[in-house]
Amino acid sequence: MNHDRIDCFCQVMRKEAALFEIILAEEKLMTLAIRERKWESLEKAIRGIDALEGELAQVESEREGIFDILKKDAGLGADANFYTWAVRLPTDIRDGITELYRCLKSRAMAARAQGTAIAGYLTESRTVLAGIMEELFPQRRGKIYDKRGGHRESEMTKVILDQAY
């Protein structure tokens, strides 16, 4: 058992959990910006999450690489999961590392749930706005026209509504 490698694995998991915590905070800012219709804040939060996704992918890849080595060191196959590996550790090490792993997974699930909720809200809002536009302009029948009068496909773009209407 290589204690240095296990310590490195724990450090990478802590870093990944911290990144998920930052992403959760950005997603909360995103939700708040959507509710309060602060579009500049929304774009800033989206840029923040986009920047973090690359770093998160790198850290996740690093964690998976270290874990693959740890599994190999333990004589386990490539398909072995975390708990199959962790059960072979001494109790004093296992308790801390499994708690850290659960923390990482719970933060990842929370970030995924928050992102899914935001996406669902935006999809529903788009559907509602499409229904409103259909009611207001039935002659279009859901069609969108370009500047030259030709038909074009609907796409996700920003819609700015004047509050006076």
Side-chain angles (χ1 to χ4, degrees), residues 53-120:
E53 283 178 349
E55 186 177 354
L56 182 63
Q58 176 190 1
V59 172
E60 184 176 9
S61 176
E62 183 180 355
R63 177 182 53 82
E64 289 172 351
I66 294 169
F67 185 59
D68 286 343
I69 294 169
L70 289 170
K71 287 189 294 188
K72 185 177 179 182
D73 290 348
L76 296 170
D79 60 338
N81 67 26
F82 175 82
Y83 291 105
T84 302
W85 170 78
V87 76
R88 296 171 180 243
L89 297 173
T91 307
D92 58 331
I93 296 173
R94 180 178 57 225
D95 292 344
I97 204 165
T98 55
E99 177 61 32
L100 182 57
Y101 184 76
R102 280 191 300 270
C103 176
L104 169 63
K105 290 302 176 181
S106 69
R107 288 181 183 171
M109 288 186 336
R112 178 181 288 157
Q114 182 73 17
T116 301
I118 291 170

Side-chain angles (χ1 to χ4, degrees), residues 17-161:
L19 284 171
F20 275 119
E21 197 65 35
I22 295 168
I23 288 173
L24 272 169
E26 289 290 329
E27 286 177 337
K28 287 178 183 177
L29 290 175
M30 223 169 118
T31 302
L32 186 63
I34 290 169
R35 283 187 190 145
E36 295 178 356
R37 294 180 176 94
K38 294 184 178 179
W39 309 125
E40 293 84 17
S41 298
L42 175 62
E43 288 182 13
K44 182 179 176 187
I46 290 171
R47 283 192 304 272
I49 290 173
D50 286 345
L52 290 169
E53 283 178 349
E55 186 177 354
L56 182 63
Q58 176 190 1
V59 172
E60 184 176 9
S61 176
E62 183 180 355
R63 177 182 53 82
E64 289 172 351
I66 294 169
F67 185 59
D68 286 343
I69 294 169
L70 289 170
K71 287 189 294 188
K72 185 177 179 182
D73 290 348
L76 296 170
D79 60 338
N81 67 26
F82 175 82
Y83 291 105
T84 302
W85 170 78
V87 76
R88 296 171 180 243
L89 297 173
T91 307
D92 58 331
I93 296 173
R94 180 178 57 225
D95 292 344
I97 204 165
T98 55
E99 177 61 32
L100 182 57
Y101 184 76
R102 280 191 300 270
C103 176
L104 169 63
K105 290 302 176 181
S106 69
R107 288 181 183 171
M109 288 186 336
R112 178 181 288 157
Q114 182 73 17
T116 301
I118 291 170
Y121 175 79
L122 293 175
T123 300
E124 186 63 28
S125 296
R126 181 175 184 234
T127 302
V128 168
L129 283 174
I132 291 170
M133 295 300 282
E134 179 66 28
E135 283 293 318
L136 292 175
F137 305 105
Q139 68 275 14
R140 284 185 161 186
R141 294 190 181 121
K143 295 180 182 174
I144 297 179
Y145 299 94
D146 61 17
K147 292 179 183 179
R148 296 185 188 108
H151 181 261
R152 68 179 175 96
E153 292 297 316
S154 176
E155 56 188 50
M156 287 287 286
T157 58
K158 298 177 185 177
V159 176
I160 300 173
L161 300 175

